[in-house]
Structures are given as structure tokens and as C-alpha cells.
């Protein structure tokens, strides 16, 4: 009879220890995942996004960002200040873009001093608004304060 009680007590104690170990393991894993998770999007002062150097150009009440990505992947960033109502007019005035009038509007061939001509070299400047391929040309896109406009070599 003593052996049966001993086995029951031993099973109860082992069950309790096993449950305690499992509980501690589950709570401990949660903390370890937070520290080791490479996709953790929480940012601290040490992990904040790098500050991008921008060249500030123009004068005016409206401010927008402008980026230029050349065929080698080099990116130049600008902060544009303007009173113009159309993005193309602001960039033309600052001599950041140049081109020729074509059937569908301004055909931009030169951006930030770099010229691409699709007919000559198979590359062209694509116009983006807030990271999305623009649905209108630079010469008809209204200026929106705080927006980001970009030309990428493609």
C-alpha cells in the first residue's frame, strides 16, 4: 500500500514540476522573441531610420521632397520650396529637369544634369508620386505640400 501512495505522490509532484517548467518556458520564450525578432518594428534611438541629407532648393511657401535615382542606383534627395502650382514648373524653374514638348506633354530627358533618351540609349526617366508610378505627367501634376516626387531611370 505504501508503494501505491508513493507512486501517486511521485506522479503528482512530477506533473506539477512539468507544468511549472512548461509555464516558465512559454513566458521566457516571449521575451526572447522580442529581443531576437529581426522584423521587430519597434524603433529606439539606436535603430531609428538614418537621416538623409537633402539639398534645399527654391523659395516659397509650399515644401515637397524630390528624389532622383540614376541608372546606377545612386539617389539624390532634395527639399523643394516653391510657390508654383505644378510640380514640373517648380522643377523646371530650379533647372532640375529639362526636356521637350511632345504629343502628350513634357518629355523629360534630363534630370539633375543626367540625360537619358529612350530612342538613343533605351533608358528613360519615370515619374513617381509618393512611391507610385504617376498617372499624370510632371507638367500636369499639381504640387501637394509634404508629398514626395521622384524621377527614376528605367
Amino acid at each position: 500500500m505504501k508503494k501505491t501512495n508513493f507512486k501517486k505522490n511521485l506522479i503528482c509532484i512530477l506533473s506539477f514540476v512539468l507544468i511549472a517548467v512548461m509555464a516558465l518556458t512559454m513566458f521566457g520564450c516571449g521575451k526572447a522573441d522580442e529581443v531576437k525578432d529581426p522584423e521587430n518594428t519597434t524603433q529606439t534611438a539606436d535603430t531609428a531610420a538614418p537621416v538623409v541629407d537633402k539639398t534645399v532648393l527654391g523659395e516659397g511657401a509650399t515644401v515637397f521632397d524630390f528624389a532622383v535615382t540614376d541608372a546606377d542606383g545612386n539617389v539624390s534627395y532634395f527639399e523643394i520650396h516653391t510657390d508654383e502650382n505644378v510640380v514640373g514648373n517648380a522643377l523646371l524653374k530650379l533647372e532640375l529637369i529639362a526636356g521637350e514638348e511632345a504629343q502628350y506633354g513634357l518629355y523629360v530627358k534630363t534630370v539633375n544634369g543626367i540625360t537619358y533618351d529612350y530612342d538613343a540609349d533605351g533608358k528613360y526617366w519615370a515619374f513617381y508620386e509618393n512611391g507610385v508610378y504617376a498617372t499624370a505627367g510632371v507638367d500636369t501634376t499639381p504640387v501637394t505640400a509634404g508629398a514626395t516626387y521622384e524621377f527614376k531611370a528605367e
Side-chain angles (χ1 to χ4, degrees):
M1 181 105 172
K2 284 188 178 186
K3 280 188 176 185
T4 308
N5 284 341
F6 178 74
K7 285 183 181 181
K8 285 182 183 179
N9 289 339
L10 183 60
I11 291 172
C12 285
I13 291 171
L14 289 175
S15 297
F16 177 74
V17 170
L18 181 62
I19 291 170
V21 168
M22 289 175 54
L24 289 174
T25 302
M26 288 176 48
F27 288 116
C29 286
K31 294 293 182 189
D33 288 345
E34 288 176 16
V35 173
K36 295 179 183 177
D37 182 8
E39 295 184 15
N40 186 352
T41 57
T42 303
Q43 292 186 350
T44 64
D46 295 335
T47 62
V51 176
V52 176
D53 288 332
K54 293 181 189 175
T55 302
V56 178
L57 296 174
E59 296 178 1
T62 305
V63 179
F64 65 86
D65 289 332
F66 178 62
V68 178
T69 304
D70 67 19
D72 296 326
N74 301 314
V75 183
S76 299
Y77 297 97
F78 301 89
E79 181 179 289
I80 307 299
H81 295 250
T82 188
D83 286 327
E84 296 289 337
N85 295 324
V86 176
V87 176
N89 294 346
L91 299 177
L92 284 166
K93 186 175 181 179
L94 295 170
E95 298 180 351
L96 284 170
I97 64 171
E100 57 191 47
E101 283 299 319
Q103 180 180 0
Y104 299 107
L106 181 65
Y107 174 33
V108 177
K109 290 187 174 184
T110 303
V111 178
N112 197 29
I114 303 168
T115 300
Y116 295 125
D117 183 350
Y118 187 78
D119 295 328
D121 53 28
K123 295 179 185 154
Y124 68 97
W125 287 108
F127 181 55
Y128 288 80
E129 183 176 5
N130 293 320
V132 178
Y133 199 90
T135 57
V138 69
D139 58 337
T140 60
T141 299
V143 170
T144 302
T148 300
Y149 303 98
E150 182 175 8
F151 273 101
K152 292 183 182 180
E154 297 191 358

